[in-house]
Amino acid sequence: MGQQLKLAVRTLLRGSGQVMFQCSAWTGLFFLLGIFWGSYECHLPQVAWGAVVGLVFSTLAGFLLKQNVADGDQGLWGFNGILVGCAFPTFLANTWLMWISLALFAMFTTWVRQGFNNVMAPWKVNSLTFPFVFMTWIFLLCSRIFEAIDPVGMSHPVAVDVAATAFGVDTGFGHLVIYWLKGVSQVFLINSWVTGIFFLVGLALCNKWAAFWAAAASAISLALALLFKATPTDVANGLFGFSPVLTGIAVGMTFYSVHYKTAIWAVLAIVATFFMQAAMDVFFEPWGMPTLTGPFCVTTWLFLLPLYKFTVADPDHSHWHSAKAK
Amino acid sequence: MGQQLKLAVRTLLRGSGQVMFQCSAWTGLFFLLGIFWGSYECHLPQVAWGAVVGLVFSTLAGFLLKQNVADGDQGLWGFNGILVGCAFPTFLANTWLMWISLALFAMFTTWVRQGFNNVMAPWKVNSLTFPFVFMTWIFLLCSRIFEAIDPVGMSHPVAVDVAATAFGVDTGFGHLVIYWLKGVSQVFLINSWVTGIFFLVGLALCNKWAAFWAAAASAISLALALLFKATPTDVANGLFGFSPVLTGIAVGMTFYSVHYKTAIWAVLAIVATFFMQAAMDVFFEPWGMPTLTGPFCVTTWLFLLPLYKFTVADPDHSHWHSAKAK
Amino acid sequence: MGQQLKLAVRTLLRGSGQVMFQCSAWTGLFFLLGIFWGSYECHLPQVAWGAVVGLVFSTLAGFLLKQNVADGDQGLWGFNGILVGCAFPTFLANTWLMWISLALFAMFTTWVRQGFNNVMAPWKVNSLTFPFVFMTWIFLLCSRIFEAIDPVGMSHPVAVDVAATAFGVDTGFGHLVIYWLKGVSQVFLINSWVTGIFFLVGLALCNKWAAFWAAAASAISLALALLFKATPTDVANGLFGFSPVLTGIAVGMTFYSVHYKTAIWAVLAIVATFFMQAAMDVFFEPWGMPTLTGPFCVTTWLFLLPLYKFTVADPDHSHWHSAKAK
C-alpha cells in the first residue's frame, strides 16, 4: 500500500518533470515548488492547485483507458494535464464550472495525446505538449460565448464580439423539445422540429441505435448549452445539436459496436463535440462563417485516432460503410 | 432500363441516408422528405432542390471518374454533395451563378473525398463530411469578395471589409492582355506585363507545354474573375492569375503527362485554384497578409491526392523533378 | 575551378527555373532577366537583388546540410529561396535587419522543405513552394509587432492592433536577468523570476545539459526580442522565452545527443521558435488568445522532421521518453 502510494507520487512528480522532458521525480518536485511559490507570489493560488488537479486527473485517465503503463510510469500521462491545470485558472474566473471543465479537459489530453502520437508515429515525431495546447485553445475560445465561463485573464479580442448578451432562452418543456428536435434537423441545415421527427423516424427505420444516439446527443448537447449559458439564439435554433448528433451516431454505433463501454466513450465524444462547436463558432466570427459540420469531423477524428478497442472486435474504421452496407 | 433507373434512385437515396451513416434508401427517402418539408416551411424551397441537384452531381462525378463502384452503390459519393446542395442556397442568394457553382462544388467533393480518404487511410479514419465542409468554406469565403455572389444568409463578419465596391475594370482588349501577362509575372511577385513575356518565353525555351498551360491558366482565371466580379484592383494586377498559372503547369504537364484527359483535369484544377485564391484572400484579411502561392499548393495537393491515373503511365509524384531533369 | 563555377551557376539558374517546374538554366536565366526588368521598372531594385541573395543562401543551406546532391543539382534547393528573396523586399522596408532575416529564412526553406517532403512522401505529393509560403507568412506576421521591421508593402490589417507603441524596456542588467528568468518560469505560465530559479535548479538535478539549454534559449530569445524590438511588455514578462526554452531542451539534448553539430542545430531551432512565437502572437490577436506552447511544438516538429543525423547514433524520436527513463 505504502509502496503503491510511493509509486503513485513518483508517477505524478515525473509528470511534472516531463513538461521539460525530465523523467525525474525530484525535478518534478522542484517544478511544483516553483509553481506554488510563483502562484502565491502572484496572488493566484488557484493556479498551483489547478496544476495538482490537472496532473492527477490526466494521469488517472491513462489508467482508466488502460494505456501502456510504461508511459504512465514515466509521467507521460501527466505533463499535458499539469499544464491544463496551470492555464485554466490563469485565464478563467475561479468558479466550480471552471474546475469541472479543468478536470475534464485534463483527462481529454491523455487520449488526445494517444491519437496525435499515432498520427505522428510514421515520421518519428511526438505530439509534445500539443494535446495541452490544442484542448486549452478549444476551451478558451469557448469562454468567449459561455456566459458561465469568464475569461478574466485573457487579453481583449480585436475581432470577436464580446458585447455582454444576458443569457435567456425559454426553458419550458415544450420549447426544450423543439430545440432538441431542431438539433437533429440542423444536420441538413434545416431549422424545423417537424423535420427533426422525419430524420429520427428515418434513422429508426434503418437502425434503432442510430435513432437513439441521435436523440441522446441532441439532448446532451442541449443540456450542456444551458449549463454553460451558450449563445441563446443558437441554442434555440438547435445549432449546438447537429454536430453532436453526427458524433453520437458515428462513435456510438457506427465505428464501434454497441456496448456499455463504447456508450461511455460516445457520451464523452458528444460532450467534446459540444465544446468544439462553441470553439469553432468563435473561431469563425471574424469572417462571419458557419462551422457547418466541422466540429463533428474534428472531434470524431480525435476519438477514433487513439484506436482504442473497447470490445473484442476491432472496428476497421476505414471500412465503416461496407460493414453497414444493406 | 427500368432496373437501371431503380438502381440509380437507390444509389441517390442511399447518398441521402449516408449523411447520418445509414446505407438505406428508405432512410434517405425520409431524410429528403424532411428536407422538403422544412425548406418549404422556412420559405426556402431552393434548399430542397439544391439538395437534389447536389446529390445528383456529386454522384455523377464518381461515375465520371470511374471510382470504386461499390462505394457509389452505397451512396458514398452523394452524402457530401447533398450537404453542399443544402448549404449553398441557405447562405447565398438564389442566382444562376450560384446554381452553377453549387453543381461544380458538389462534384468537387467526390474527388476531394477520395484524396482526403487516401491521406487518412494509414490511421484507419475516414474524411466523414469534411469534403463538404472544406469546399463549402472555400466558396462561402469567396462570396465575401465576389460581387456576383451575395452571402444573404451569412452573419455579419467582424473582421472582413464588406464595404460595397462597385466592380469596375477596364475590359478593353489591350487591358485584358496586360492583366493576363501580369498574372504570369506575379508568380515572382512582379507586377509587369513585360516580365510576363520574359517568363512565357523562358518556359517555352524548356517546354512548349509549360508555356501553354501558364498562358491558358492566366486567361482562364482572368475570365472567372470577370464573371464572378472579383476585387477589381487585384484582377488588374494579375493577383488572381499567378497561383492558377503554377497549378496549370503542375497538373497539366508536370505531374501528369500531356493528354486530353489530363487537360480536362488541369482545367478543373485551374478553376479550383481561382476559388482557393479568392477564399484565402478573404481568410487573410484580418491580418492584412498576402496569400503568396498558398492557393496553388493547397489546390494542387487536392488534385494529386486522389492519385487518379488518367494515362497508362503512373506519375510518381514524389519524383516529378528527376523525371524532368535536363 | 572554372568547371565548378559553371556548375554552381547552372545549379542557381535551375533553382530559378524550378519555381515553374523547369529544370533548365536557360529558363531560369530568362526568369531572372524578367525579375530584374520588372523590379527596376517598379522602382524596387531590392526585389531583384533579394531574389539573388535568397537563391544563393537557400542553395548554400542544402550543401551545408549535406542533402541529396542530385536534388541540389536540379535546382530544388533554390526555388523556395528565390521566392523568399522576392517577397521580403516587396512587403518589408529595406533595412539591414530585413536582409539578414531574408538570408536566414531563405536557408530555413531548404530544410523545412526536406521535412515537409518527408511528411508528404507516403502520399506521393511534394511540398511544392509551401516552404517559401509558410516561412514567409511567419516573418510577415512577425513584422506586425517588430518595431525594427516595417511592413511598408503590406495592406492594412483589419483585426490586428497596429497602433505604434514606441519600443521601451528597461535594459539595466538587473532587469535583463529578471526577464531572462521569467522566460524560464513562463513554461508553466508563472510570471516570477524566483520560480525561474526553481525550474533551472530542478533541471540541473536531473541533467546539467537540460539546465544549460533552458538558460541559453531564454537568453538567446531575449536578445532577439531586443534586437527586433518586439512587444515591450511581453519581453519584460518573459513571454518570448518559454517556447524557445522548451525547443532548446528538446533539440539540444533530448531528441539529439549532445554534440557541437547538434548545438548549432539547437541554436537555429531556438531562433526559429522566437519568430514562430511572434508570428503566433499576431495570428491569435483577433481572438485575444494566448499561444501557450504552440510555437515550441510547431518549431520543434520543423527541426525534427528532416530527420537529419548529425551524430553517429540515430535518435529514434518516437521513443525520446523511454530513452531518458530513470
Side-chain angles (χ1 to χ4, degrees):
Chain A
M1 188 54 228
Q3 179 60 15
Q4 281 189 313
L5 182 66
K6 194 161 154 257
L7 280 175
V9 171
R10 190 186 72 171
T11 297
L12 291 173
L13 290 177
R14 281 181 170 182
S16 170
Q18 286 287 14
V19 169
M20 295 203 216
F21 303 99
Q22 308 311 311
C23 183
S24 155
W26 286 107
T27 301
L29 179 62
F30 265 75
F31 287 177
L32 267 179
L33 290 174
I35 291 168
F36 269 87
W37 175 286
S39 63
Y40 275 84
E41 179 193 331
C42 302
H43 309 298
L44 286 168
Q46 64 266 37
V47 171
W49 295 108
V52 175
V53 172
L55 183 57
V56 170
F57 276 86
S58 59
T59 305
L60 204 61
F63 282 109
L64 292 174
L65 284 158
K66 298 187 174 50
Q67 291 187 179
N68 171 10
V69 179
D71 280 12
D73 179 54
Q74 290 166 37
L76 296 173
W77 295 341
F79 73 93
N80 280 293
I82 192 174
L83 289 168
V84 167
C86 289
F88 276 43
T90 299
F91 299 111
L92 306 172
N94 189 1
T95 64
W96 64 274
L97 209 49
M98 181 279 282
W99 284 97
I100 290 172
S101 307
L102 188 163
L104 180 65
F105 274 69
M107 295 180 83
F108 277 157
T109 62
T110 303
W111 59 75
V112 165
R113 175 174 185 272
Q114 185 64 55
F116 284 175
N117 281 351
N118 287 346
V119 171
M120 300 179 178
W123 303 285
K124 296 186 170 183
V125 289
N126 181 283
S127 62
L128 306 170
T129 53
F130 199 67
F132 144 66
V133 172
F134 185 76
M135 294 313 294
T136 305
W137 278 342
I138 297 304
F139 197 71
L140 293 183
L141 282 169
C142 290
S143 71
R144 296 293 185 194
I145 55 172
F146 287 169
E147 199 190 323
I149 298 292
D150 191 2
V152 288
M154 286 168 69
S155 55
H156 190 76
V158 180
V160 177
D161 179 11
V162 287
T165 50
F167 181 77
V169 286
D170 195 325
T171 54
F173 183 73
H175 286 87
L176 291 182
V177 172
I178 287 171
Y179 306 157
W180 168 66
L181 287 168
K182 284 186 173 181
V184 179
S185 74
Q186 287 285 10
V187 168
F188 280 92
L189 298 94
I190 303 295
N191 185 8
S192 156
W193 62 273
V194 180
T195 299
I197 294 172
F198 272 103
F199 291 174
L200 288 176
V201 172
L203 285 170
L205 281 179
C206 183
N207 186 311
K208 67 179 191 305
W209 284 109
F212 168 79
W213 279 112
S218 188
I220 292 170
S221 56
L222 175 58
L224 288 168
L226 296 172
L227 177 65
F228 284 90
K229 296 193 166 66
T231 325
T233 51
D234 288 2
V235 175
N237 291 322
L239 294 178
F240 283 105
F242 68 93
S243 273
V245 161
L246 289 168
T247 303
I249 301 172
V251 179
M253 51 79 63
T254 304
F255 296 120
Y256 283 110
S257 41
V258 177
H259 184 280
Y260 83 90
K261 286 185 184 171
T262 58
I264 299 169
W265 194 238
V267 170
L268 285 166
I270 289 163
V271 171
T273 307
F274 163 74
F275 290 115
M276 191 66 70
Q277 177 67 62
M280 288 179 75
D281 285 343
V282 175
F283 183 83
F284 279 119
E285 221 178 294
W287 302 274
M289 288 274 292
T291 64
L292 304 175
T293 51
F296 145 65
C297 296
V298 175
T299 315
T300 300
W301 291 329
L302 288 181
F303 277 74
L304 297 181
L305 286 171
L307 295 173
Y308 293 132
K309 296 182 187 60
F310 299 113
T311 53
V312 191
D314 169 19
D316 183 343
H317 301 321
S318 64
H319 295 91
W320 60 276
H321 31 79
S322 40
K324 303 199 66 59
K326 275 231 182 55
Chain B
M1 188 54 226
Q3 179 59 15
Q4 281 188 314
L5 183 65
K6 195 162 153 255
L7 280 176
V9 171
R10 190 185 71 172
T11 297
L12 291 174
L13 290 176
R14 281 180 171 181
S16 170
Q18 286 287 14
V19 169
M20 295 203 217
F21 302 101
Q22 307 313 310
C23 184
S24 155
W26 286 107
T27 302
L29 179 62
F30 265 75
F31 288 177
L32 267 180
L33 290 174
I35 291 169
F36 269 87
W37 176 284
S39 62
Y40 275 83
E41 179 191 332
C42 302
H43 308 297
L44 285 167
Q46 64 266 37
V47 170
W49 294 108
V52 174
V53 173
L55 183 57
V56 170
F57 276 86
S58 59
T59 305
L60 205 61
F63 282 108
L64 292 174
L65 285 157
K66 297 186 175 49
Q67 290 188 180
N68 171 12
V69 179
D71 280 12
D73 180 54
Q74 291 165 38
L76 296 172
W77 296 340
F79 71 93
N80 280 292
I82 191 173
L83 288 169
V84 168
C86 289
F88 276 43
T90 299
F91 299 112
L92 306 171
N94 190 0
T95 64
W96 64 273
L97 209 49
M98 182 279 283
W99 285 98
I100 290 172
S101 308
L102 187 163
L104 180 64
F105 274 69
M107 295 180 84
F108 276 157
T109 61
T110 303
W111 59 74
V112 165
R113 175 174 184 271
Q114 185 65 54
F116 284 175
N117 282 351
N118 287 346
V119 171
M120 299 179 179
W123 302 286
K124 298 186 169 184
V125 289
N126 181 283
S127 62
L128 305 171
T129 54
F130 199 67
F132 144 66
V133 171
F134 185 76
M135 295 312 294
T136 304
W137 277 343
I138 297 304
F139 197 72
L140 293 183
L141 282 169
C142 291
S143 71
R144 297 292 186 195
I145 55 173
F146 287 168
E147 199 190 324
I149 298 292
D150 192 2
V152 286
M154 287 168 69
S155 55
H156 190 76
V158 180
V160 177
D161 179 11
V162 288
T165 52
F167 181 78
V169 288
D170 195 324
T171 53
F173 183 72
H175 286 87
L176 292 181
V177 171
I178 287 172
Y179 307 156
W180 167 66
L181 287 168
K182 284 185 172 182
V184 179
S185 72
Q186 287 285 9
V187 168
F188 281 92
L189 298 93
I190 303 294
N191 185 7
S192 155
W193 62 273
V194 180
T195 299
I197 295 171
F198 272 103
F199 291 176
L200 288 175
V201 172
L203 286 170
L205 282 179
C206 183
N207 185 310
K208 67 179 191 308
W209 284 109
F212 167 80
W213 278 113
S218 188
I220 292 169
S221 56
L222 175 58
L224 288 168
L226 296 172
L227 176 65
F228 283 90
K229 296 192 164 66
T231 325
T233 51
D234 288 2
V235 175
N237 290 321
L239 294 178
F240 283 104
F242 68 93
S243 273
V245 161
L246 289 168
T247 303
I249 300 172
V251 178
M253 50 78 64
T254 303
F255 296 120
Y256 283 109
S257 42
V258 177
H259 185 279
Y260 83 90
K261 286 184 184 171
T262 58
I264 299 170
W265 195 237
V267 170
L268 285 167
I270 289 163
V271 171
T273 308
F274 163 75
F275 290 114
M276 190 67 69
Q277 177 68 62
M280 289 180 74
D281 285 343
V282 174
F283 184 83
F284 280 119
E285 221 179 292
W287 302 275
M289 290 273 292
T291 65
L292 304 173
T293 52
F296 145 66
C297 296
V298 174
T299 315
T300 300
W301 291 330
L302 288 180
F303 277 74
L304 296 182
L305 285 171
L307 296 172
Y308 293 132
K309 296 182 187 58
F310 299 113
T311 53
V312 191
D314 168 20
D316 183 344
H317 302 322
S318 64
H319 295 89
W320 60 276
H321 31 78
S322 39
K324 304 198 63 59
K326 277 234 181 55
Chain C
M1 188 53 229
Q3 180 60 15
Q4 282 189 314
L5 182 65
K6 193 159 154 260
L7 280 176
V9 171
R10 191 186 70 170
T11 297
L12 292 173
L13 290 176
R14 281 180 170 182
S16 170
Q18 287 287 13
V19 169
M20 295 204 216
F21 303 100
Q22 307 312 311
C23 183
S24 155
W26 286 107
T27 302
L29 180 61
F30 265 75
F31 287 177
L32 267 179
L33 290 174
I35 291 169
F36 269 87
W37 175 284
S39 62
Y40 275 84
E41 179 192 331
C42 302
H43 309 297
L44 286 167
Q46 64 267 37
V47 171
W49 295 107
V52 175
V53 173
L55 183 57
V56 170
F57 276 86
S58 59
T59 305
L60 204 62
F63 282 109
L64 292 174
L65 284 157
K66 298 186 175 49
Q67 290 186 179
N68 170 11
V69 179
D71 280 12
D73 179 54
Q74 292 165 36
L76 296 173
W77 295 341
F79 72 93
N80 280 294
I82 193 174
L83 289 168
V84 168
C86 289
F88 276 43
T90 299
F91 299 112
L92 306 172
N94 189 0
T95 65
W96 64 274
L97 209 50
M98 182 279 283
W99 285 97
I100 291 172
S101 307
L102 187 163
L104 180 65
F105 274 69
M107 295 180 83
F108 277 157
T109 61
T110 304
W111 59 74
V112 165
R113 175 174 184 272
Q114 184 66 54
F116 284 175
N117 282 352
N118 288 345
V119 170
M120 299 179 180
W123 301 286
K124 298 187 167 182
V125 290
N126 181 284
S127 62
L128 305 171
T129 52
F130 199 67
F132 143 68
V133 171
F134 186 75
M135 295 312 294
T136 304
W137 278 343
I138 297 304
F139 197 71
L140 293 183
L141 282 169
C142 289
S143 71
R144 297 290 185 195
I145 55 172
F146 288 168
E147 201 191 322
I149 298 292
D150 191 2
V152 287
M154 286 168 69
S155 55
H156 189 77
V158 179
V160 176
D161 179 11
V162 288
T165 51
F167 181 77
V169 288
D170 195 324
T171 54
F173 183 73
H175 286 87
L176 292 181
V177 172
I178 287 171
Y179 306 156
W180 167 66
L181 287 168
K182 284 186 171 181
V184 179
S185 74
Q186 287 285 9
V187 168
F188 280 92
L189 297 94
I190 304 294
N191 185 7
S192 156
W193 63 272
V194 179
T195 299
I197 294 172
F198 273 102
F199 290 175
L200 288 175
V201 173
L203 286 170
L205 282 178
C206 182
N207 186 311
K208 69 178 190 306
W209 284 109
F212 167 79
W213 280 111
S218 187
I220 292 170
S221 55
L222 175 57
L224 288 168
L226 296 172
L227 177 64
F228 284 90
K229 296 192 165 67
T231 325
T233 51
D234 288 2
V235 175
N237 291 322
L239 294 179
F240 283 104
F242 68 93
S243 273
V245 161
L246 289 167
T247 303
I249 301 172
V251 178
M253 50 79 64
T254 303
F255 296 119
Y256 283 110
S257 42
V258 177
H259 184 280
Y260 83 90
K261 284 184 186 171
T262 58
I264 298 170
W265 194 238
V267 171
L268 285 166
I270 289 164
V271 172
T273 308
F274 163 75
F275 290 114
M276 190 66 69
Q277 177 67 63
M280 288 180 75
D281 286 343
V282 175
F283 183 83
F284 280 118
E285 221 179 293
W287 302 274
M289 289 273 293
T291 65
L292 305 173
T293 52
F296 145 67
C297 297
V298 175
T299 315
T300 299
W301 292 329
L302 288 180
F303 277 73
L304 297 181
L305 285 171
L307 295 172
Y308 293 132
K309 297 182 188 57
F310 300 112
T311 54
V312 189
D314 169 20
D316 183 343
H317 302 320
S318 65
H319 295 89
W320 60 277
H321 31 81
S322 40
K324 305 197 64 60
K326 276 235 180 53

